[in-house]
Amino acid sequence: MTDNEETLSKRKRKYVTSFSNMSQEDAEKILGFRFARFYCSQKPLDQFITKKAPQSWKKEIFQQLVHCLDSEGYPEASILPLNQAVVTDYVGTILRIMVAYCNRTMKHSSIQLTREKQIISNDEQIGEDIEFVVIHNLTENDVRYVIVVEAKRDSLGNGLTQLLLAMKSTFDINNDQKLVYGFVTTAIDWQLITFDGQRWNLYNRSTILFGSMKKQEDLWLNNFTQILDIIYYILSSLESSSENNN
C-alpha cells in the first residue's frame, strides 16, 4: 500500500459509536470507575505545577485574549448569541501560542497542534473527531498523543465523558505507558485530567478569563495563569525528536 493509499484508508476508518453518544453507564464500564466518585476525588492544582511559563509568553497570550474579547465578546454561555466556534477560537489561541513558543525554545518543531483529530479506540468500537490534540512527532513515522482538549460552550461536565474516553483511547494507541493529559474547558474555566494506564487524576478547575481582565493585566498575570504553567510543564518536558532518535 502506498503512503497516499494508507493515509486515505486511515481517513475512512469507521467506528460503531461516538464518544459523545456513549451513555454514562456504558462509559463507566469502559473506564472502570463511577463518575460520582471521580468528581469527589479532585486534587489541588498547585501540586501539579513545578515550573512556570515565561512571563513574556503569558503577556503575549494576554494580548491575544484581549483581542478575542474585543472582537468576539466574552465567551459566557448565558450571554447570547454564543456559538461553539467562539469558544474554540479562545482555546485555539492559547494552545497555538504555547505550542509555537515551546517549539522555538526547544529549537525543534516536533510538537504539533491538530484540530478535529479523529481518535478511534483500538477495537474500533468508539471514536470521534476531537477538537484539539497536541501530538509529539517522535520520528517521521511515529507519533504519540500528549494532550487531548475538549471544549464546551456551556459547562465542563458536558465534555467529561468525551474527554475521558478519548484519553483512554489515546493511551491505548500510544502503547508506551506514558502519562496522557486532558483538559475539558469552556474557554473561561479549564480542568486537568491525567491518566497513566492505571490511575485517573482529576484536578480542581482553574479560571483563565474574566470579563474585566483587559484593564487588569497584573491581576491576570499573577492569579489566572495556572493553566499556562501546566501546559508549559507538559510541553517543555517532552524530549526533542533528535534526542529520541539517539
Side-chain angles (χ1 to χ4, degrees), residues 167-186:
M167 289 178 65
K168 173 68 167 59
S169 296
T170 55
F171 181 88
D172 293 341
I173 294 167
N174 287 341
N175 193 30
D176 58 9
Q177 304 307 306
K178 292 182 180 180
L179 209 62
V180 171
Y181 304 88
F183 292 98
V184 60
T185 177
T186 61

Side-chain angles (χ1 to χ4, degrees), residues 57 60-61 64 92-102 113:
W57 298 19
E60 171 65 19
I61 289 173
Q64 294 302 318
T93 295
I94 293 169
L95 295 175
R96 188 167 55 248
I97 294 172
M98 293 299 295
V99 169
Y101 276 26
C102 276
L113 175 63

Side-chain angles (χ1 to χ4, degrees), residues 19-63:
F19 297 143
S20 55
N21 285 336
M22 287 285 292
S23 68
Q24 180 177 316
E25 181 179 4
D26 287 340
E28 288 175 340
K29 290 178 181 177
I30 293 173
L31 298 168
F33 60 83
R34 297 289 183 129
F35 282 18
R37 181 174 297 178
F38 185 56
Y39 264 113
C40 294
S41 68
Q42 297 184 40
K43 298 182 177 183
L45 201 56
D46 289 344
Q47 70 182 51
F48 196 90
I49 301 173
T50 58
K51 61 171 69 173
K52 293 191 174 184
Q55 198 78 340
S56 59
W57 298 19
K58 294 181 177 181
K59 289 185 176 182
E60 171 65 19
I61 289 173
F62 176 83
Q63 292 301 325

